[in-house]
Amino acid sequence: MDSSHIFGGPARRVGTAVVAALLLAGALPAAVAEASAGTTAVSATTATAGAPLIKPGDMVTGLGRTGFLTWATDGTYTQRWTRLADGAVTVFPSGHSVSRSIDSDVVVDQRHGVATLRDMEAGTELFSLPLDSNRYAGAVRSTLFARADISGRGPLELYSPGTDGPVRRTATGLPADAADLGVVAASGNDALLMYTTGSGTAVARHWAVLDLNSAAVTSSRRIAATDTNESVSFAISTTHIAWTDYSADNTGTTVVVLDRTTLKTQSFRMASAARLLIGLVGNWLTYSRPGGLLSYSRDTVQTLTARSLTSTATRKLLDHTVSSVDAPGDAAGFVGGTTADGEGLYRIAPGADGVPAATNIATTGAPTQVTLLGHTVPTTVDLDRTRGQLPLAWHLSRNNVAMTLTLRNTHTGESLTEYVTASTRDESPQPMRYDWTGALRWNNEPGTWTGASAGPYTWQITAKPLNGIGPDLKASGSFTVTRKTGAHDYDSDGSPDILARDTSGRLWIQDTYRQPASHNVLQNRGLVISGGWQVYDRIEATGNLGGAAAPDLVARDRDGMLWLYLGTGDGKAPFTGRIRISAGWNTYVHLAGGSDLTADGRPDLVATDPSGRLWLHRGTGVASAPFAPRKLIGTGGWQAYDRITALGNLAGGAAGDLVARDKAGVLWLHLGNGDGTLAPRTRISGGWNGFDNLVGSGDLDRDGRPDLYAGNTNGTTHTPGTYRATGDWRTPLRAFEKVNTVQTGQMFNLFA
């Protein structure tokens, strides 16, 4: 029996589009013997493939008892017959246009104006005759239908095998003005015809049942499809005829089922206005809206559903359908898929209990549920080399999903969750792309950002099918982030941090992050490192003194003892236990660390005494003895300054530099010469007495130059900001830029 067929729309082209694509010219000769003499043999090639397969993208255009016919849509238009028993493939040569013969293993092979019926099961040729492709009207088993002339009107002719060649008969019972005649379905000895009458606005569509034995129409009916709708679907069985009726306002679809014995009809209203594929299997109607697999929304009729014609029972057969084909016997054929068995060709036939069941008889090898086909996440990510930009992509089997991506630092727990989309909605799957800027949610707080610190990470994607077909896809993996830590980068995230001590003696770390898009510098809420820091009267960030990977700091207690805290690079515990350096440091008024004044690759420490002399403590890179013996590099005058800050190489010279503010609020630049000495000072500008603290923060904007952070300890009288370095000693700092802070209510009395 037949499953759904569509007149004039895509499903009709499944059966005859191969013919239409390669139009064959030629008039019908007078003698059938001339046709037989012009027949050319098919030089088919065969290959045993094992299980029956369908190449992805191929259209299934016919299904018999022993095999099926496909047509390639890759531009080659290759047509193949695949045997179900062992997967053996017959490839039809180029230039042959092959279409199915309904309810059989027969195909119609047209070439050079000659139509040949071939029995693919037996491997024999039934007959050939000259036939213009415009006259071809379909085939049922060993009977070929042809219109009398190329206009599509006139009598319908039937050709069947005979002893001396094909026997021609003329169908009776059709209207004289019947046009667009075509066979759309068949069951037993009956063929279901589709035709139109009238013209213009008076055109009407009809179906008719033609008895193949007598070539006579036994019943017919005008259908109520609108004139503009060409996607009418049909099905016929020995007991019923079904067709689709589309509402004039295009708001819904009704499937009408006629009982061929009682002539009573049942109507089933579908919520979808789109075309349907229908079939008849026993006393059950099957229906589905094709194309649901790639839909971006749910549709109640995208599944292939069987509905009883004798009760209200329904059964789900397939998760979705692509197309339908006729199937011999009390069965129907659908191309579609289930999440259990994947994509392929399914035969729908009654089970032992009479209820239709789906059997996968040939597969494409593609999954129905969303699957991950591959991804581009590297195993190691160097965020310094990528400059915080990392394009990531996941290749899914289909893109109609709502997909989220979570990146998580497994050490800190900081993460990022974002929606990920494909660049287009093409039917071919496009990669789901996300360009990671190297940012995470700081401390997992909404609306806050921080740079991703070095360490182990995991990624996880969740793709929820928008059409509801199949379960959510969940996939995950891991990677490692590497990056160098700079000055003041205590948590190894590529961005400087600000250290502050509150009035109770607790030391805080305040993370900063410069947003790539807006270039705004964000300063997040502080996290407590530890308490007890009230014992120190000086805390100074020094850069990497001890030779580890992260920057360190020194702290002087009130007895003049200097202590070293080595950096760990871990924002949750950024420093090790203290290491005693030496005593006697209470002879100094100011300490400033972090600039490499000797150009040996290690940061140094400078200090001023009460007499205004400047001393250099060269860094050794050894934690147990981090400084060489001091050296006098400034003989006097440094008592004029109330703030001295080591910035690093601010102005593009040979070594690290210092800035110093005098008591009148003027800021001065002292360029390093590279030998531990300083060049004569250069005036930067005045008005700097509005700040309590000037911090050599390191590279805030990631341009390779250190910047200056300025603020007040209580954070209430002046908004902190940054002065980005220019690299030019004549104008070393850009204009003040506000830092966006998250107020915490803490009062700080010292910045390091």
Side-chain angles (χ1 to χ4, degrees):
M1 60 154 289
D2 175 69
S3 69
S4 171
H5 291 279
I6 299 176
F7 175 77
R12 183 193 180 198
R13 289 195 295 271
V14 167
T16 61
V18 178
V19 179
L22 302 173
L23 296 178
L24 306 177
L28 179 64
V32 173
E34 293 179 13
S36 299
T39 300
T40 58
V42 174
S43 300
T45 59
T46 60
T48 301
L53 298 174
I54 304 173
K55 286 193 173 184
D58 280 8
M59 296 176 63
V60 178
T61 57
L63 172 62
R65 289 179 173 81
T66 66
F68 59 92
L69 183 67
T70 58
W71 177 49
T73 59
D74 57 4
T76 64
Y77 308 111
T78 303
Q79 295 179 272
R80 303 177 180 87
W81 177 267
T82 301
R83 197 160 58 200
L84 291 172
D86 56 8
V89 176
T90 299
V91 179
F92 293 91
S94 176
H96 290 247
S97 180
V98 184
S99 55
R100 84 219 188 291
S101 182
I102 298 173
D103 205 21
S104 70
D105 291 303
V106 175
V107 299
V108 182
D109 182 3
Q110 298 188 63
R111 184 171 184 267
H112 296 326
V114 175
T116 302
L117 265 67
R118 302 184 184 279
D119 187 330
M120 300 305 296
E121 179 184 11
T124 60
E125 180 180 308
L126 301 180
F127 65 84
S128 296
L129 78 158
L131 184 68
D132 187 282
S133 62
N134 289 325
R135 294 184 52 222
Y136 178 70
V140 176
R141 295 191 291 279
S142 60
T143 301
L144 185 147
F145 292 77
R147 306 179 189 96
D149 58 64
I150 61 175
S151 69
R153 296 184 179 273
L156 184 67
E157 297 175 345
L158 286 69
Y159 292 87
S160 304
T163 304
D164 299 321
V167 176
R168 180 172 63 183
R169 296 176 293 162
T170 300
T172 60
L174 290 170
D177 63 342
D180 302 318
L181 280 160
V183 182
V184 294
S187 177
N189 289 320
D190 293 327
L192 187 65
L193 309 179
M194 174 69 185
Y195 63 92
T196 62
T197 58
S199 60
T201 59
V203 69
R205 287 194 173 85
H206 310 260
W207 59 255
V209 177
L210 182 76
D211 182 274
L212 293 174
N213 292 329
S214 64
V217 171
T218 58
S219 62
S220 63
R221 178 179 290 239
R222 177 176 175 173
I223 60 177
T226 63
D227 292 344
T228 58
N229 197 308
E230 295 186 349
S231 297
V232 183
S233 301
F234 296 89
I236 186 173
S237 68
T238 56
T239 58
H240 294 86
I241 298 173
W243 65 93
T244 54
D245 176 28
Y246 297 86
S247 61
D249 58 3
N250 201 36
T251 60
T253 304
T254 300
V255 180
V256 183
V257 181
L258 172 70
D259 186 309
R260 298 179 65 182
T261 301
T262 66
L263 301 183
K264 293 181 178 180
T265 61
Q266 299 181 66
S267 295
F268 303 98
R269 176 76 173 182
M270 305 296 173
S272 174
R275 69 184 182 92
L276 296 177
L277 305 177
I278 62 174
L280 290 169
V281 178
N283 288 321
W284 294 73
L285 167 72
T286 64
Y287 57 88
S288 170
R289 179 185 65 81
L293 184 65
L294 301 180
S295 174
Y296 280 77
S297 61
R298 292 174 180 261
D299 190 328
T300 56
V301 293
Q302 68 187 9
T303 61
L304 180 62
T305 302
R307 183 186 182 99
S308 173
L309 297 175
T310 59
S311 70
T312 60
T314 60
R315 294 290 187 276
K316 177 182 174 181
L317 300 174
L318 300 178
D319 287 319
H320 79 98
T321 59
V322 176
S323 62
S324 64
V325 290
D326 53 277
D330 193 10
F334 287 89
V335 176
T338 68
T339 56
D341 296 325
E343 297 297 289
L345 174 60
Y346 287 79
R347 178 184 282 121
I348 312 299
D353 57 357
V355 178
T359 303
N360 189 339
I361 59 176
T363 180
T364 66
T368 296
Q369 66 186 51
V370 180
T371 57
L372 177 63
L373 306 179
H375 63 82
T376 65
V377 183
T379 56
T380 301
V381 177
D382 186 342
L383 289 180
D384 294 322
R385 188 173 64 180
T386 64
R387 299 184 65 84
Q389 298 291 328
L390 182 66
L392 304 173
W394 288 264
H395 297 261
L396 307 185
S397 57
R398 50 188 169 96
N399 294 140
N400 54 338
V401 297
M403 176 172 152
T404 58
L405 163 68
T406 297
L407 301 175
R408 184 181 303 279
N409 184 317
T410 58
H411 175 66
T412 67
E414 290 176 323
S415 64
L416 166 74
T417 299
E418 295 285 350
Y419 281 100
V420 182
T421 60
S423 56
T424 67
R425 284 192 171 188
D426 292 344
E427 288 191 3
S428 298
Q430 301 293 317
M432 305 292 284
R433 300 183 182 276
Y434 180 73
D435 292 332
W436 187 35
T437 61
L440 300 174
R441 294 290 185 187
W442 176 82
N443 210 34
N444 289 327
E445 289 191 9
T448 61
W449 295 97
T450 184
S453 61
Y457 282 75
T458 60
W459 61 264
Q460 182 178 44
I461 59 170
T462 300
K464 185 179 185 63
L466 295 174
N467 57 7
I469 296 177
D472 294 354
L473 165 68
K474 293 183 181 294
S476 60
S478 62
F479 62 99
T480 300
V481 167
T482 63
R483 68 188 325 163
K484 295 179 180 179
T485 57
H488 277 256
D489 182 12
Y490 299 107
D491 55 7
S492 304
D493 65 356
S495 299
D497 305 301
I498 303 300
L499 298 178
R501 184 178 64 184
D502 65 21
T503 54
S504 66
R506 294 179 299 176
L507 190 66
W508 296 70
I509 182 172
Q510 297 180 326
D511 181 75
T512 67
Y513 176 69
R514 185 173 176 83
Q515 294 178 301
S518 65
H519 303 297
N520 292 328
V521 175
L522 307 177
Q523 183 171 325
N524 294 312
R525 251 189 298 272
L527 297 176
V528 175
I529 296 174
S530 61
W533 292 77
Q534 69 272 16
V535 301
Y536 301 118
D537 65 0
R538 290 290 183 273
I539 300 172
E540 182 66 21
T542 57
N544 190 337
L545 286 176
D552 312 318
L553 64 79
V554 295
R556 184 182 70 184
D557 64 26
R558 301 185 192 281
D559 295 327
M561 187 67 69
L562 194 66
W563 301 87
L564 172 64
Y565 287 84
L566 294 174
T568 65
D570 182 351
K572 294 183 178 298
F575 302 111
T576 64
R578 68 182 186 174
I579 301 172
R580 184 181 183 274
I581 296 176
S582 60
W585 289 78
N586 50 358
T587 61
Y588 294 127
V589 177
H590 297 294
L591 301 176
S595 283
D596 178 14
L597 299 178
T598 58
D600 62 358
R602 294 187 292 269
D604 306 309
L605 181 72
V606 295
T608 64
D609 62 23
S611 65
R613 293 179 297 177
L614 183 67
W615 297 88
L616 170 67
H617 292 265
R618 181 175 59 84
T620 65
V622 179
S624 59
F627 298 119
R630 71 178 186 172
K631 177 181 179 182
L632 183 67
I633 61 173
T635 58
W638 287 83
Q639 72 273 22
Y641 300 126
D642 63 3
R643 292 288 186 273
I644 298 175
T645 303
L647 295 181
N649 193 333
L650 175 71
D657 309 316
L658 302 178
V659 294
R661 184 184 69 183
D662 64 26
K663 295 174 184 178
V666 177
L667 192 66
W668 301 87
L669 171 64
H670 291 267
L671 289 172
N673 292 321
D675 59 358
T677 65
L678 299 169
R681 71 179 187 175
T682 302
R683 186 180 189 274
I684 296 176
S685 62
W688 289 80
N689 47 2
F691 298 109
D692 288 343
N693 295 280
L694 300 176
V695 181
S697 59
D699 187 6
L700 281 163
D701 59 1
R702 300 184 183 180
D703 64 353
R705 293 186 291 268
D707 304 309
L708 178 64
Y709 178 98
N712 288 318
T713 54
N714 59 23
T716 60
T717 61
H718 189 86
T719 300
T722 62
Y723 291 87
R724 293 191 292 133
T726 66
D728 183 351
W729 66 271
R730 290 162 296 190
T731 55
L733 299 173
R734 301 180 189 274
F736 177 85
E737 297 178 23
K738 177 182 175 181
V739 170
N740 296 316
T741 60
V742 178
Q743 299 299 326
T744 62
Q746 286 98 3
M747 299 293 289
F748 298 103
N749 65 3
L750 179 76
F751 279 80

